[in-house]
């Protein structure tokens, strides 16, 4: 019965996930809560660690872009939940700075440690290739999640949501917020981040529609997913473009920093803000109206899905090729599909957060 109920809730959630089409109900908010909000009740706490059948526990590493990002912490938490459910050992790493060089050093250390799998949210699509192919040559299963590496550097990518939908929906949102007219800017993460760059490409494609002829993208600024830099980049945008009408920040660090700047400067209603935000960090700005609405997905689920994919790669039950199927625990059955020259597993659709649902979601992640 409980299973049936969660299946129904997942379906309800999937339906309301369709970007821009309405808000979460109490039910799907609590569905998120069941899966993520109460770490104390995670199955991982109760599941008996197994050893994957080979004696010693398998070692599953996860590498995020950089430290100090609550989104990254939630994603790693999801990975940990999955690996613990499956009886493996988790190693969580992130460099202080969001650079490829720092991640390469971590990968080298993980190779020396002889881990069984590395899941990485990449700071650069190509620069990690030598290190990651070295890892794969030594039999380590490599996958990316959240921010992809190129197809040669991974066996599969775990994608949070369709990049085209993410990019297009953000332009549509700012269009609605500013009344279709005026200068807009993007406040991104690092200039090399695969995920943000892909979303920005789709934003630019969306902007080609004649509908947006009175809207102009004046700048893409980079806050590097560092709080202070994101604050100063937002201030810089406001200074350089005094007529700025809207900011899109497709990064949880950036949007929270921009929310603070617009609040402190009393610019609510004058400069609109949307993008991808963590509900727990953005609730105050959504409640105050500085950001009317924004989007995200469940970062815990992204990590959890990667954990199950990593386990299947290590067991050899999948290799990351199109058509591979595996069970992803509480997320149900998943399938590997094509993604450009590589392959991926898709989590879902971006979810819209606004004043009606933020109160519930802010407790979840
Ligand atoms: C930041 C990171 C992460 C991205 C989210 C939306 O936390 O850049 O990679 O997926 O924002």
């Amino acid at each position: 019965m409980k299973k049936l109920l969660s299946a129904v809730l997942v379906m309800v959630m999937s339906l309301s996930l369709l970007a821009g089409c309405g808000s979460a109900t109490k039910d799907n908010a609590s569905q998120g809560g069941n899966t993520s909000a109460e770490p104390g009740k995670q199955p991982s706490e109760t599941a008996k660690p197994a050893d994957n059948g080979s004696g010693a526990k398998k070692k599953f590493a996860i590498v995020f872009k950089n430290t100090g990002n609550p989104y990254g912490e939630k994603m790693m938490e999801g990975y940990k939940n999955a690996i613990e459910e499956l009886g493996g050992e988790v190693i969580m790493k992130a460099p202080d700075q969001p650079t490829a060089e720092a991640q390469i050093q971590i990968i080298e250390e993980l190779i020396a440690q002889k881990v069984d799998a590395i899941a990485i949210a990449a700071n650069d699509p190509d620069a990690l290739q030598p290190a990651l192919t070295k890892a794969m040559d030594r039999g380590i299963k490599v996958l990316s999640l959240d921010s992809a590496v190129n197809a040669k550097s991974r066996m599969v990518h775990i994608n949070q949501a369709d990049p085209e939908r993410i990019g297009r929906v953000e332009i549509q949102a700012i269009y609605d917020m500013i009344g279709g007219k005026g200068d807009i800017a993007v406040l991104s993460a690092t200039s090399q981040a695969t995920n943000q760059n892909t979303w920005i490409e789709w934003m630019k494609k969306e902007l080609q529609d004649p509908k947006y002829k009175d809207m102009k993208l004046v700048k893409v600024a980079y806050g590097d997913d560092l709080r202070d830099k994101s604050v100063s980049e937002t201030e810089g945008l406001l200074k350089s473009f005094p007529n700025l009408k809207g900011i899109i920040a497709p990064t949880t660090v950036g949007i929270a920093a921009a929310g603070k700047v617009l609040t402190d400067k009393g610019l609510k209603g004058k400069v609109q803000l949307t993008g991808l935000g963590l509900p727990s960090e953005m609730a105050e700005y959504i409640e105050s109206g500085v950001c009317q609405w924004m989007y995200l997905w469940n970062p815990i689920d992204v990590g959890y899905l990667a954990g199950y994919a990593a386990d299947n790669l290590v067991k050899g039950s999948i290799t990351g090729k199109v058509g591979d199927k595996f069970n992803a625990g509480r997320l149900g059955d998943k399938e590997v599909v094509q993604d450009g020259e590589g392959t991926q597993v898709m989590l879902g659709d971006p979810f819209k957060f606004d004043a009606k649902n933020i109160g519930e979601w802010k407790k979840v992640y």
Side-chain angles (χ1 to χ4, degrees):
M1 179 62 196
K2 233 176 145 190
K3 262 198 166 159
L4 182 70
L5 198 66
S6 17
V8 171
L9 289 173
V10 169
M11 263 180 65
V12 170
M13 193 164 168
S14 314
L15 288 174
S16 50
L17 282 174
L18 291 172
C21 76
S23 52
T25 63
K26 196 163 195 300
D27 279 355
N28 50 50
S30 54
Q31 143 72 14
N34 282 341
T35 57
S36 329
E38 301 158 302
K41 292 187 186 159
Q42 290 292 329
S44 57
E45 297 289 324
T46 48
K48 281 250 180 325
D51 59 11
N52 264 349
S54 67
K57 277 191 187 182
K58 301 282 184 190
K59 292 191 200 123
F60 292 84
I62 181 166
V63 185
F64 189 62
K65 290 173 164 182
N66 62 320
T67 50
N69 180 347
Y71 173 97
E73 281 155 22
K74 290 287 171 194
M75 216 174 64
M76 291 198 279
E77 178 188 320
Y79 188 78
K80 183 166 182 269
N81 292 343
I83 298 305
E84 287 182 355
E85 271 174 36
L86 293 159
E89 183 188 328
V90 188
I91 299 168
M92 299 192 279
K93 298 273 181 195
D96 291 343
Q97 296 298 314
T99 66
E101 294 70 36
Q103 286 189 321
I104 290 168
Q105 202 181 326
I106 291 176
I107 296 164
E108 292 291 348
E109 285 161 15
L110 293 170
I111 294 173
Q113 258 181 283
K114 297 196 164 61
V115 298
D116 294 283
I118 299 175
I120 186 155
N123 285 327
D124 190 291
D126 303 314
L128 307 178
Q129 189 172 329
L132 291 176
T133 44
K134 177 174 168 189
M136 287 190 283
D137 288 346
R138 309 253 168 120
I140 298 172
K141 308 301 176 193
V142 171
L143 63 162
S144 51
L145 76 165
D146 179 64
S147 183
V149 284
N150 67 32
K152 292 195 189 101
S153 311
R154 68 183 206 228
M155 298 174 78
V156 71
H157 175 64
I158 306 301
N159 204 338
Q160 49 271 68
D162 180 3
E164 175 172 357
R165 306 267 324 226
I166 298 173
R168 290 192 188 276
V169 84
E170 291 181 29
I171 292 294
Q172 289 154 9
I174 207 76
Y175 174 90
D176 289 346
M177 288 178 191
I178 68 171
K181 234 187 178 134
D183 291 351
I184 58 162
V186 169
L187 173 68
S188 191
T190 63
S191 61
Q192 295 304 312
T194 325
N195 51 349
Q196 272 87 14
N197 284 347
T198 313
W199 301 329
I200 293 168
E201 267 173 41
W202 282 110
M203 288 182 207
K204 289 181 177 163
K205 284 193 187 136
E206 176 68 12
L207 276 172
Q208 284 164 10
D209 189 310
K211 168 179 174 189
Y212 301 108
K213 65 178 185 349
D214 296 327
M215 237 166 71
K216 187 166 170 228
L217 174 60
V218 291
K219 182 161 178 168
V220 178
Y222 299 97
D224 291 353
D225 272 352
L226 302 170
R227 175 78 179 186
D228 290 351
K229 179 143 196 260
S230 303
V231 165
S232 58
E233 288 295 326
T234 309
E235 288 167 350
L237 286 173
L238 297 170
K239 219 170 151 201
S240 310
F241 306 99
N243 292 325
L244 197 67
K245 290 284 179 299
I247 297 174
I248 300 174
T251 139
T252 58
V253 178
I255 196 174
K260 167 122 181 45
V261 173
L262 296 183
T263 303
D264 291 351
K265 293 193 179 296
L267 289 172
K268 174 185 145 187
K270 295 198 181 84
V271 180
Q272 300 290 343
L273 175 65
T274 192
L276 304 173
L278 202 58
S280 53
E281 293 187 293
M282 284 299 291
E284 61 178 295
Y285 307 122
I286 290 193
E287 278 154 5
S288 75
V290 161
C291 170
Q292 295 181 49
W293 71 88
M294 60 169 200
Y295 301 87
L296 199 71
W297 43 84
N298 186 332
I300 303 171
D301 286 351
V302 181
Y304 183 88
L305 179 54
Y308 269 82
D311 180 67
N312 278 274
L313 287 169
V314 168
K315 282 194 304 220
S317 42
I318 65 168
T319 57
K321 67 173 187 327
V322 172
D324 274 355
K325 293 190 180 75
F326 62 98
N327 178 269
R330 60 172 163 72
L331 296 175
D333 292 335
K334 290 283 171 185
E335 186 171 346
V336 176
V337 297
Q338 195 75 39
D339 168 40
E341 287 169 17
T343 64
Q344 65 177 354
V345 182
M346 192 69 90
L347 178 69
D349 276 310
F351 187 87
K352 182 180 181 184
F353 297 96
D354 59 17
K356 292 196 283 307
N357 62 22
I358 196 71
E360 299 194 44
W361 283 101
K362 71 180 178 190
K363 298 175 228 145
V364 185
Y365 50 85

